[in-house]
Structure formats: structure tokens, C-alpha cells
């Protein structure tokens, strides 16, 4: 049986599945339930500085988009950090950690961008014996208007500065949570690294409006006729999160920096993908908010089964295994030639491959052969783009088949070369010389 | 003698009021908004969709389903009505399992086609519920067209002609319009007065005058129509009922299934409808099923359909056969009626002969079977009565004992078109009648414009 115990910057948890700092981790009641359900760790919902707590809106805090059968694909929220008293939270954190010593309990923090504010709260958290802190530099709504959250995360110098304050003040491991609402996520990651962070976690939520009410002409979620952008998360953001994780994992300046992956993790497979791209743990929120805490059972069991099937014995066998395969476009092998192939036995003749190719791509799939409805790839036109695979409703019906070296590419009339050759050496590249 | 359920002979009031209500309520309850959205999401929006090709009226099915999926049921209804103004009835009575849904790629993929019929009903119901009218009449042309028969073919023809600005008069032999939609389809397929509501919806375009109780050959001749109108469309359906060819069928209790269904459809109180305790239905088509199922639903204890060929030869769709079986109807094959048994002028049973196919020819084997019956329904097909067309100038050409038409619905007589069950080569489906009426209207329009 695969061992999925996690040791992330010294923070131990029985599995790599943590609940992200969010409503599910707002208080002892929820966190206790989460630990009972099997979650390996929890990042307690963000604490603010001492004093009157923030207040939330009293109307809708969430908006969503759905797929077929109202399957929730994306969720956005305009909830702020905890609106409960700081000391109530601290007392509960201490008790929960005492009750669950084998679980990871990290405390998310967000206080004004002043050294004194950070230095005031850190000892209070340390006293709870929590395992670590996560700096919330990602929250994109409300708090950012007050100079916190993503307002800090978007300025690498601030990120570095606050991280440094924290590292100088506390013995606890520091995880810096990054915002995706930035052009190049490597910049704040590098800054956090320079400030001495133990790890980064990403992504926080993405600025978003989930929809517009076409009767009131107000954005959703709507509060008394007005709306404000919220933070977007859920399955829809996973591809964005995976890319950002990979960008940091493969950046020479931050390579090796531990990453806690966040963004649309819904199944064991999502988690495994984050791990493969370099995440040491994953954090989950939307999936739990959609289905409840029980989903972690599937995640744990699914990850173990997959690891067993593939012969991976520990998480270290998986973490970062895909990172070296993430590269720049210019290094992709231009001598790798594939052609789509439709398995006629599996084809249900919906014709979506044909119309997608005909209208929007390369006119490489038939609709009619000898007067019969028949969908077949014309290799002389197929550029191997994979669109037909993606629009086909039958998984496995269309394959992209690589041409063997020496085979004729009917489209170009050229023979497939056995050697790797990329754009940097391609004759059409005006910068070819420089690349050599 | 026992009352109610077990009363011998032909008796009314076998069931309680509640049972009648339950038995004759909607066979397929309508989809609600969420159900429709979920089902619509299953559609793959196929290229050159096979469902659309399979539809006799060529409704753009992927488009109307996509419009449902995008919460645009009125747009969806318009897509349907563009091709089939009786899309509401077709949604209820089409044998979709042998048409659009059989062609659905999901049928091939997983054996569960998109429920196109129910989605079509969802959209058309939505439009009819708010009385949304999508078509306006073109400027009046001053041309007048006579239509014989206010059934699906006639109504579809009338609507399209009215759209083009022609003035239409429909002559209907019965006291009510609708044709088989009103008189010939099982109650549970179109409850709550839907057939009349649909007629009203179709007629609402304006420019259509309905003359009820006016029969061709009795109240007017084809010659009259040809003289008084610019064009004529014949959509009078099939008035004749085929005889059993069994000895002694002229006794009390041997009835036409078509007439019985018509009677049932017009009944104000189902409890007043007499039905036999033991009923035998002779035939293998939709009418046989409709009669048999409704006999069961009215409280008949034993209902047996006897068909002279095999299961695979039945005109009734598999769905219909399953429906009958689920309602407790026994379907027996390879039996042909030979003799009606009667006492005191009332049917008491039927003697049937086993049949077999020999060298592709059906013949009796000599072996017989007797079934007790106090009511026998004939459902072995209807026939066209050409007599009403005769005696008024040139006779119309027939083919296979129905009216011969070309691909546009033109008969052998100039100015006369025909469509629906009365023409040769049809498949006796509502949806085909609609297509033929519509296409004949376009042909008439072209002829009148020329």
C-alpha cells in the first residue's frame, strides 16, 4: 500500500489533502468535522488583527457557473476574512490542535502591511501551537481595497518585506499564499523566496463576475442591485492553477521551493496532477463546499490506488515528476508528427469532429463517403491539432497517432525525421542564428 | 350477475371515478424546466443530425434542443413550428422510437436516445401556454383555397396557405375539427382537450374559415370546389374500415376499433362507456394497440390482441407493444379470425385459425383456437373511400386504392392537391400528414403565384 503521509516544510499530515483557508475552516465545529472525515490538514480561515472584526455582506456571498445537470464548475465569493473575534479563533485553534495532534493545522493571517501589526499577531498564533502560518496575499476582494490581501500579493517588494518580518519574528514555518491576479506569478514567488518563505501556496481566487442578471442588469452575486468582483475558484480554475504551479516549480530562481497546490482540486486525479507538477500538498475548498467533507475518502483511496497501480510508494515518488516535462514552446519537437485516427467501431456518427474541423480548422475529416455518413481523417489535410479529439463525445474514439520516423507525412509530403528539432534551429526562424 | 369489474357482457361503469382519471391521465407527464435542461444537455448538436433527417417534417432538432438548453423555450418552439405547426401533437403521438429517437446517436452510443419527443412537447407547450404566435399573414393575395378535412394534413396546409396570404376554407365532415388527432388517438396520449387547443392555436393566424359538418360527396362535390376555388387540397383521410372477413361478424359486440376510439375520445364521462369483460382486438397496428389498451383501462378483465402475422410484422411500434403488455394486454401472433361465435345475436367468442408463412405466403394451418369474448374490435386497417370523389367531372387517378400524387402533392387533376392518409405511398403517421399538407401548401402557393 502506498504511503501518502506528507511532510511539508516539517508540517506532518497523514495525507496531502488539506482544506484551504476559507469558510469550511472558519471555526472549530467545521474543522473538527473535517478531521473526523479524514482531512490531513486545515488552513484555518484567515485571522485579522485584534479589534472589532470585519463585517460581511448580508446578501449573497457566492456566485456560480454550472455545466450540464447543474454541475457546479466555478464558484466565486465576496466573503472577507474571518468575521469572528480574534481570541475566540485562537482559543479554538489551540483546542483543535490539541485534539488532533497528527493533523496539520496552519493559520492563515492577514493584517495591515505594517511591521508592528505582523509582529503583534505572530506570538498569539505561536501560542496556539499551530503547525505554521500562511500569509494571505491573495484575497482579491474587499480586503484588497484596504491595502491587504492581493494588494500586497501584487507588489513583489511588499511580499518580500512582509515575509521577512514574519520569518524574523516567528519560529513557525511560513507559507506565502499567492494571488493569480498578476501578470507573472513568478515575480511574487521569487520575492517570497527572497524574503525567506518556507513555501508558497497557490492559487488564491481570480477576480471575476460570474454573470449578469439580465432583468436588473446587475452583476452576480448581486447585493441590493450592485455587485462587486469576487474571487473565482472551483474546477474551472484548475488549468490556470496548474500552469502557475508549474511556472514556479520550473523557475530556476524558485526551483525546489515547496508548493502547496490550490485551485479546483476535486478528485484524487486533480491532486495527483498538482503533485506531479511540483506541489507537496494540495488544498481544497470548492469541492468540499459542493459535496461536503466526505469527498476526502475518495481522494485518499483514489490516490493510494493509483500509486499502488503505478508502483509509487511515497509522495516523493510523484512530486515534481512532471515538472521537467513542462518547457517553453520553442523547445517542442517540430519533428513529432501525429495524425488523428477515428476508431470506426466506437464512432457514433455525431459528426462533431467533422464540423469542428470543417468550419474551424483544417477540413481534414469527411462527412460522407460513398454516399454514406462516414467520418474519417484525411491525413493529407490533418495537422494533428487534436481538436477532433476534444470535441468527440466518445472518450477514446479518436486517437492522435504519432507517425514513425521514416514515414511519409501526407500533408507536407516530407518524411518524418528521427531526430529532435525545435524552433530554435528551424530554418524559418529569423532568430535561428542567435538561437544556435 | 356481478357488477363492476366482473360484470359479464358489455357493461359501463366497471371502475371508480378515480380509477378512470388515473388510467386516462397523461401517459408521459411533461418535463419541468430542470428536467428539460438536463435532457437538452444530453444532445450533442450533431452535424447534419440524423434525427433531423429521420423526421418527416425535418425539424431542426439539434437547434430546438439547444434553444431549450439555453432557456429559450419560445425560440425553440418557433424552430419546431417553422417546420411543423402541429409540433405539439407530434410531440405526443409520434412513434419517436422509430423516427428521430431511433436515429439519435445516443441510441447508438448508449441505447438511450435524447428524449426528443418530450423536449419538443416542453417547448411547444411553453409557447402555447402563453399563446405565442410566431407567424403573420402575408398581404392578402385574393386567392381562395378549399381544403377537405380538418385533420393534420388539412390544418398544416391551411396554416401555411394562410401565412402566404391566401384565404382558406376548410370543409370538415365531422362536427369538430382535428381529424384523427381529435377522434383517432388514445385519450392518454392527448388528454385535457389538447387537440382542440392546438386547432385553435393553428387557426389563430387568421384567414382560415372552418365549415363543420360538410362532407365531400354529400354536401358538395369536387367539381364544385374546383369551380369555386382557385385550388383544392384533399386531406380527408380514410373513411372506410376493413372487414374481418370472418363468418358472422354482423352481430352485436363486433365493432370498429376506430369508431370506438372516436366515441371514447368524445365521451364526457368515461364511466358511461360500456366495455366488454373479455375483449378481443383483431389487428397489429397502432389502432389495435390504442383500442386494446383503452379497453383494459376502461376495466375489461381480459384483452387479447390477435394478429395474423408475427411480432416482427406488427405495424405498432415496439414501444406501443410494450405499453400494451404493461397494461395487461395479451398480444398473440399468427392467428386469423375465422368465425364469430354468437348467442342471441350477441358475440360470445371468436374462432381463430393459426397461420404460418409458407414460401412467403400467409395461409391458415387448419388448426383453430377459440377465445371467449363479449366484444370484438376490428382494427385491421382503414381504407380510402374513393366514391365521394366520383361523379363530378374527370375522375382522379388512384394508385393502390388511394389518391395518386406527385412529390409536391399534386393529383392528376389540375388545381387539386392531396395529402395525409388518403394519398398513396404514405405511412399513415400524423407527422407525415403534416409534412404533406405543408409541402402541398407551398406547391399551391407557387402555382397561384405563377
Amino acid at each position: 500500500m502506498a504511503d501518502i503521509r506528507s511532510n511539508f516544510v516539517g508540517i506532518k499530515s497523514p495525507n496531502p489533502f488539506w482544506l484551504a483557508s476559507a469558510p469550511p475552516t472558519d471555526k472549530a465545529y467545521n474543522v473538527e468535522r473535517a478531521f473526523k472525515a479524514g482531512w490531513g490538514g486545515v488552513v484555518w480561515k484567515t485571522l485579522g488583527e485584534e479589534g472589532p472584526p470585519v463585517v460581511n455582506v448580508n446578501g449573497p456571498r457566492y456566485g456560480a457557473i454550472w455545466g450540464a445537470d447543474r454541475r457546479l464548475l466555478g464558484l466565486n465569493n465576496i466573503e472577507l476574512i474571518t468575521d469572528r473575534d480574534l481570541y475566540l479563533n485562537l482559543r479554538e485553534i489551540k483546542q483543535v490542535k490539541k485534539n488532533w495532534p497528527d493533523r496539520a493545522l496552519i493559520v492563515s493571517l492577514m493584517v495591515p502591511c505594517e511591521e508592528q501589526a505582523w509582529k503583534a499577531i505572530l506570538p498569539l498564533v505561536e501560542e496556539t501551537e499551530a503547525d505554521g502560518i500562511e500569509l494571505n496575499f491573495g484575497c482579491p476582494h474587499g480586503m484588497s481595497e484596504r491595502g491587504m490581501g492581493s494588494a500586497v500579493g501584487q507588489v513583489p517588494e511588499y511580499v518580500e518585506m512582509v515575509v521577512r518580518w514574519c520569518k524574523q519574528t516567528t519560529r513557525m514555518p511560513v507559507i506565502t499564499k499567492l494571488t493569480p491576479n498578476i501578470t507573472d506569478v513568478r515575480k511574487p514567488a521569487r520575492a517570497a523566496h527572497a524574503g525567506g518563505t518556507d513555501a508558497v501556496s497557490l492559487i488564491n481566487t481570480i477576480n471575476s463576475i460570474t454573470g449578469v442578471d439580465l432583468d436588473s442588469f446587475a452583476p452576480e452575486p448581486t447585493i441590493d442591485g450592485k455587485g462587486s468582483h469576487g474571487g473565482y475558484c472551483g474546477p474551472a480554475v484548475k488549468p490556470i492553477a496548474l500552469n502557475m504551479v508549474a511556472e514556479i516549480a520550473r523557475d530556476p530562481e524558485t526551483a525546489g521551493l515547496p508548493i502547496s497546490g490550490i485551485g479546483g482540486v476535486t478528485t484524487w486525479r486533480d491532486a495527483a496532477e498538482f503533485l506531479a507538477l511540483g506541489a507537496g500538498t494540495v488544498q481544497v475548498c470548492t469541492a468540499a463546499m459542493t459535496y461536503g467533507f466526505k469527498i476526502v475518502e475518495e481522494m485518499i483511496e483514489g490516490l493510494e490506488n493509483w500509486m499502488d497501480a503505478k508502483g509509487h510508494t511515497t509522495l516523493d515518488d510523484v512530486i515534481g515528476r512532471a515538472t521537467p516535462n513542462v518547457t517553453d514552446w520553442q523547445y517542442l519537437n517540430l519533428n513529432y508528427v501525429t495524425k488523428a485516427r477515428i476508431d470506426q467501431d466506437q464512432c457514433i456518427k455525431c459528426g462533431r469532429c467533422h464540423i469542428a474541423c470543417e468550419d474551424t480548422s483544417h477540413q481534414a475529416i469527411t462527412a460522407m463517403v460513398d454516399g454514406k455518413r462516414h467520418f474519417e481523417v484525411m491525413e493529407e489535410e490533418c495537422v494533428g491539432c487534436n481538436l477532433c479529439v476534444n470535441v468527440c463525445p466518445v472518450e477514446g474514439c479518436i486517437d492522435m497517432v504519432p507517425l514513425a520516423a521514416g514515414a511519409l507525412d501526407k500533408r507536407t509530403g516530407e518524411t518524418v525525421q528521427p531526430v529532435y528539432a525545435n524552433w530554435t534551429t528551424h530554418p524559418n526562424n529569423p532568430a535561428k542564428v542567435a538561437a544556435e | 350477475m356481478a357488477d363492476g369489474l366482473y360484470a359479464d357482457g358489455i357493461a359501463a361503469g366497471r371502475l371508480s371515478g378515480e380509477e378512470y382519471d388515473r388510467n386516462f391521465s397523461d401517459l408521459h407527464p411533461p418535463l419541468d424546466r430542470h428536467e428539460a435542461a438536463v435532457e437538452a444537455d444530453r444532445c450533442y448538436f450533431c452535424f447534419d443530425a440524423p434525427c433531423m433527417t429521420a423526421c418527416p417534417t425535418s425539424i431542426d432538432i439539434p437547434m430546438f434542443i439547444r434553444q431549450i438548453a439555453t432557456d429559450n423555450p419560445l425560440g425553440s418552439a418557433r424552430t419546431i413550428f417553422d417546420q411543423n405547426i402541429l409540433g405539439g401533437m407530434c410531440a405526443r403521438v409520434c412513434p419517436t422510437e422509430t423516427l428521430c429517437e431511433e436515429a439519435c446517436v445516443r441510441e447508438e452510443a448508449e441505447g438511450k436516445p435524447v428524449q426528443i419527443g418530450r423536449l419538443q412537447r416542453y417547448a411547444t407547450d411553453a409557447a402555447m401556454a402563453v399563446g405565442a404566435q410566431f407567424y403573420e399573414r402575408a398581404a392578402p393575395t385574393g386567392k381562395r383555397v378549399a381544403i377537405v378535412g380538418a385533420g393534420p394534413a388539412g390544418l398544416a396546409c391551411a396554416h401555411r396557405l394562410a401565412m402566404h396570404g391566401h384565404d382558406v376554407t376548410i370543409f370538415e365532415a365531422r362536427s369538430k375539427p382535428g381529424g384523427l388527432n381529435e377522434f383517432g388517438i388514445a385519450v392518454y396520449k392527448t388528454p385535457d382537450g389538447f387537440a382542440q387547443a392546438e386547432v385553435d392555436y393553428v387557426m389563430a393566424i387568421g384567414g382560415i374559415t372552418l365549415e363543420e359538418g360538410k362532407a365531400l360527396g354529400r354536401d358538395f362535390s369536387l367539381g364544385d370546389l374546383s369551380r369555386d376555388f382557385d385550388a383544392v387540397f384533399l386531406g380527408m383521410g380514410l373513411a372506410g374500415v376493413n372487414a374481418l372477413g370472418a363468418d358472422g361478424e354482423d352481430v352485436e359486440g363486433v365493432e370498429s376499433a376506430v369508431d370506438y376510439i372516436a366515441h371514447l375520445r368524445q365521451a364526457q364521462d368515461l364511466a358511461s362507456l360500456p366495455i366488454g369483460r373479455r375483449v378481443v382486438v383483431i389487428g397489429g397496428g397502432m389502432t389495435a394497440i390504442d383500442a386494446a389498451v383503452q379497453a383494459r383501462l376502461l376495466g375489461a378483465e381480459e384483452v387479447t390482441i390477435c394478429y395474423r402475422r408475427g411480432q416482427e410484422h406488427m405495424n405498432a411500434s415496439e414501444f406501443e407493444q410494450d405499453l400494451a403488455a404493461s397494461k395487461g394486454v395479451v398480444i398473440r401472433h399468427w392467428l386469423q379470425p375465422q368465425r364469430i361465435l354468437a348467442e342471441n345475436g350477441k358475440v360470445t367468442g371468436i374462432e381463430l385459425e393459426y397461420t404460418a408463412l409458407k414460401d412467403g405466403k400467409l395461409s391458415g394451418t387448419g388448426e383453430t383456437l377459440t377465445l371467449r369474448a363479449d366484444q370484438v374490435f376490428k382494427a385491421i386497417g382503414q381504407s380510402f373511400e374513393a366514391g365521394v370523389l366520383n361523379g363530378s367531372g374527370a375522375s382522379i387517378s388512384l394508385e393502390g386504392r388511394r389518391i395518386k400524387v406527385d412529390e409536391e402533392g399534386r393529383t392528376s387533376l389540375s388545381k387539386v392537391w392531396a395529402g395525409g392518409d388518403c394519398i398513396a405511398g404514405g405511412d399513415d403517421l400524423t407527422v407525415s400528414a403534416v409534412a404533406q399538407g405543408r409541402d402541398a401548401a407551398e406547391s399551391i402557393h407557387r402555382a397561384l403565384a405563377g
Side-chain angles (χ1 to χ4, degrees):
Chain A
M1 180 69 121
D3 178 359
I4 63 166
R5 282 178 301 172
S6 166
N7 184 345
F8 185 78
V9 297
I11 302 171
K12 292 188 172 126
S13 56
N15 61 59
F17 301 105
W18 295 0
L19 283 170
S21 166
T25 62
D26 184 40
K27 55 186 180 296
Y29 180 83
N30 305 76
V31 175
E32 287 274 350
R33 285 179 67 85
F35 284 156
K36 276 181 200 144
W39 289 88
V42 149
V43 184
W44 201 278
K45 185 170 165 78
T46 308
L47 309 184
E49 67 179 339
E50 189 176 349
V54 302
V55 294
N56 272 297
V57 294
N58 299 297
R61 298 179 191 181
Y62 303 108
I65 64 162
W66 299 270
D69 203 4
R70 225 174 136 79
R71 179 174 289 263
L72 190 138
L73 297 181
L75 186 71
N76 102 341
N77 84 89
I78 55 169
E79 186 169 295
L80 303 181
I81 62 173
T82 184
D83 54 10
R84 305 190 323 145
D85 177 71
L86 173 63
Y87 290 96
L88 173 61
N89 275 309
L90 291 168
R91 280 197 303 278
E92 289 187 0
I93 290 167
K94 185 167 187 174
Q95 186 61 48
V96 171
K97 182 63 206 180
K98 201 171 165 188
N99 296 348
W100 298 88
D102 71 322
R103 307 302 169 94
L105 207 170
I106 291 92
V107 178
S108 173
L109 297 174
M110 182 197 291
V111 295
C113 210
E114 296 154 9
E115 188 169 7
Q116 193 45 47
W118 288 94
K119 290 197 162 168
I121 199 166
L122 289 170
L124 302 178
V125 178
E126 271 187 359
E127 202 274 326
T128 66
E129 297 183 40
D131 296 299
I133 57 169
E134 184 180 77
L135 311 183
N136 182 342
F137 294 159
C139 185
H141 47 266
M143 303 311 291
S144 55
E145 296 168 17
R146 305 172 202 180
M148 292 179 271
S150 65
V152 177
Q154 286 164 343
V155 184
E157 293 78 9
Y158 294 172
V159 172
E160 182 177 344
M161 176 177 76
V162 177
V163 170
R164 185 162 285 126
W165 291 337
C166 292
K167 284 304 292 178
Q168 286 166 350
T169 308
T170 180
R171 60 164 173 80
M172 295 182 289
V174 173
I175 303 169
T176 305
K177 187 167 180 178
L178 303 178
T179 176
N181 298 305
I182 187 164
T183 310
D184 184 350
V185 79
R186 293 175 303 180
K187 299 286 167 60
R190 288 170 186 162
H193 189 47
T197 196
D198 295 284
V200 289
S201 57
L202 71 156
I203 59 174
N204 204 308
T205 56
I206 303 172
N207 288 352
S208 58
I209 290 171
T210 52
V212 176
D213 184 316
L214 292 178
D215 292 317
S216 63
F217 287 107
E220 292 170 335
T222 309
I223 310 293
D224 192 23
K226 304 282 184 192
S228 180
H229 75 260
Y232 196 45
C233 52
V237 311
K238 186 185 114 182
I240 296 165
L242 285 177
N243 176 57
M244 289 188 166
V245 165
E247 286 293 289
I248 293 169
R250 72 189 188 93
D251 180 22
E253 284 192 40
T254 51
L257 179 64
I259 299 170
S260 186
I262 313 169
V265 176
T266 308
T267 67
W268 70 265
R269 184 179 294 275
D270 298 327
E273 290 172 14
F274 273 94
L275 297 178
L277 283 174
T281 64
V282 292
Q283 296 185 31
V284 177
C285 174
T286 307
M289 293 185 79
T290 309
Y291 304 108
F293 291 145
K294 191 181 177 185
I295 54 162
V296 76
E297 291 175 27
E298 170 272 314
M299 293 176 164
I300 291 169
E301 205 263 348
L303 184 65
E304 286 170 348
N305 277 354
W306 169 73
M307 288 175 63
D308 285 343
K310 298 291 179 183
H312 306 305
T313 53
T314 68
L315 293 181
D316 287 337
D317 291 347
V318 177
I319 294 169
R321 285 285 291 278
T323 312
N325 293 329
V326 183
T327 186
D328 294 343
W329 190 97
Q330 62 180 334
Y331 300 124
L332 298 176
N333 185 2
L334 294 173
N335 282 340
Y336 178 74
V337 182
T338 63
K339 301 288 178 185
R341 186 180 59 197
I342 300 171
D343 178 350
Q344 296 299 331
D345 290 338
Q346 289 194 64
C347 176
I348 60 171
K349 298 185 172 57
C350 68
R352 284 185 10 178
C353 57
H354 163 79
I355 200 62
C357 193
E358 190 71 16
D359 277 356
T360 69
S361 292
H362 299 87
Q363 298 75 49
I365 299 180
T366 65
M368 197 76 84
V369 174
D370 297 333
K372 279 191 174 158
R373 187 174 176 85
H374 184 81
F375 303 96
E376 196 172 299
V377 176
M378 295 177 271
E379 286 202 5
E380 59 276 20
E381 304 296 337
C382 177
V383 304
C385 76
N386 204 41
L387 178 65
C388 54
V389 173
N390 292 323
V391 302
C392 177
V394 180
E395 190 181 353
C397 176
I398 310 181
D399 275 333
M400 299 307 298
V401 182
L403 295 188
L408 176 71
D409 180 347
K410 290 183 190 163
R411 183 176 69 87
T412 59
E414 288 171 16
T415 302
V416 176
Q417 296 300 308
V419 293
Y420 163 87
N422 64 42
W423 175 244
T424 63
T425 56
H426 195 277
N428 288 14
N429 182 358
K432 176 172 72 103
V433 176
E436 280 176 346
Chain B
M1 202 171 93
D3 286 337
L5 205 51
Y6 301 116
D8 280 324
I10 301 176
R14 290 184 181 275
L15 307 175
S16 69
E18 265 177 34
E19 287 170 314
Y20 284 115
D21 288 347
R22 192 170 61 235
N23 287 354
F24 288 89
S25 63
D26 221 329
L27 183 61
H28 298 292
L31 298 174
D32 68 23
R33 183 164 167 262
H34 175 69
E35 289 169 325
V38 170
E39 192 58 24
D41 266 324
R42 296 183 65 231
C43 174
Y44 287 138
F45 203 74
C46 294
F47 164 74
D48 190 17
C51 55
M52 191 173 161
T53 311
C55 175
T57 53
S58 307
I59 293 171
D60 190 343
I61 294 166
M63 183 57 74
F64 95 65
I65 293 179
R66 188 171 173 81
Q67 287 166 310
I68 291 172
T70 59
D71 201 19
N72 178 13
L74 295 189
S76 176
R78 175 163 188 155
T79 300
I80 295 161
F81 291 140
D82 277 350
Q83 291 297 112
N84 181 339
I85 194 65
L86 272 71
M89 182 60 81
C90 290
R92 291 162 166 78
V93 304
C94 260
T96 50
E97 67 280 4
T98 61
L99 297 171
C100 52
E101 292 179 16
E102 182 181 54
C104 177
V105 300
R106 284 226 185 231
E107 172 64 29
E108 175 156 351
E110 65 204 65
K112 279 187 191 154
V114 175
Q115 296 180 65
I116 298 168
R118 294 184 79 188
L119 287 170
Q120 179 166 320
R121 174 169 173 187
Y122 174 79
T124 51
D125 278 1
M128 289 175 67
V130 296
Q133 287 286 333
F134 301 108
Y135 309 99
E136 281 180 18
R137 295 196 66 195
T141 61
K143 303 287 188 185
R144 299 174 66 241
V145 182
I147 291 177
V148 179
L155 289 168
C157 185
H159 187 270
R160 188 56 68 98
L161 287 168
M163 245 176 78
H164 287 313
H166 308 301
D167 287 323
V168 180
T169 303
I170 307 180
F171 298 94
E172 169 54 51
R174 299 202 196 231
S175 59
K176 251 184 182 180
L180 288 179
N181 288 355
E182 175 59 36
F183 295 95
I185 288 163
V187 173
Y188 47 78
K189 290 180 185 169
T190 169
D192 306 324
F194 179 78
Q196 286 310 300
E198 184 173 56
V199 170
D200 293 343
Y201 181 76
V202 171
M203 302 270 288
I205 190 171
I208 305 172
T209 308
L210 180 65
E211 302 248 6
E212 291 155 341
K214 295 279 176 64
L216 177 65
R218 182 186 75 197
D219 303 309
F220 56 89
S221 70
L222 184 53
D224 296 337
L225 297 182
S226 298
R227 183 189 66 230
D228 298 342
F229 291 86
D230 297 297
V232 180
F233 175 80
L234 301 173
M236 72 281 265
L238 306 174
V241 174
N242 295 338
L244 286 182
D247 292 339
E249 66 182 275
D250 296 327
V251 295
E252 196 179 321
V254 178
E255 302 178 37
S256 145
V258 171
D259 288 349
Y260 191 81
I261 291 168
H263 191 53
L264 200 157
R265 280 292 301 276
Q266 301 308 310
Q268 298 297 314
D269 176 13
L270 292 168
S272 71
L273 276 179
I275 190 75
R277 179 175 178 182
R278 299 179 183 88
V279 175
V280 171
V281 180
I282 306 296
M286 297 290 202
T287 301
I289 300 278
D290 279 1
V293 169
Q294 292 188 112
R296 275 287 296 160
L297 299 178
L298 284 171
E301 185 184 355
E302 291 175 18
V303 178
T304 311
I305 290 177
C306 296
Y307 177 55
R308 65 193 178 120
R309 291 174 182 268
Q311 197 256 337
E312 65 276 22
H313 303 110
M314 288 181 79
N315 272 335
S317 67
E318 209 173 303
F319 170 81
E320 294 284 329
Q321 295 178 44
D322 289 347
L323 174 71
S326 77
K327 300 295 182 189
V329 172
V330 175
I331 303 180
R332 302 192 60 160
H333 305 103
W334 305 110
L335 285 170
Q336 66 185 8
Q338 195 165 54
R339 192 158 63 94
I340 297 290
L341 310 176
E343 276 173 30
N344 306 321
K346 289 184 183 175
V347 62
T348 57
I350 181 166
E351 186 181 287
L352 302 122
E353 183 184 20
Y354 284 92
T355 58
L357 272 180
K358 280 180 199 148
D359 305 326
K361 237 185 126 184
L362 191 75
S363 56
T365 64
E367 188 185 350
T368 60
L369 167 81
T370 300
L371 293 176
R372 289 173 72 188
D374 31 39
Q375 200 166 24
V376 173
F377 287 117
K378 299 180 282 184
I380 53 173
Q382 293 166 264
S383 55
F384 177 61
E385 292 195 338
V388 297
L389 294 169
N390 296 337
S392 54
S395 359
I396 205 158
S397 295
L398 302 182
E399 179 185 347
R401 285 186 277 177
R402 296 195 193 182
I403 300 173
K404 182 181 175 182
V405 294
D406 67 9
E407 68 282 356
E408 288 189 18
R410 286 180 292 221
T411 68
S412 60
L413 302 179
S414 66
K415 293 174 75 175
V416 182
W417 281 254
D421 291 352
C422 66
I423 64 168
D427 51 14
D428 294 353
L429 292 176
T430 303
V431 64
S432 299
V434 171
Q436 290 151 8
R438 176 199 70 193
D439 294 346
E442 292 294 347
S443 179
I444 292 168
H445 176 59
R446 283 192 295 274
L448 295 182

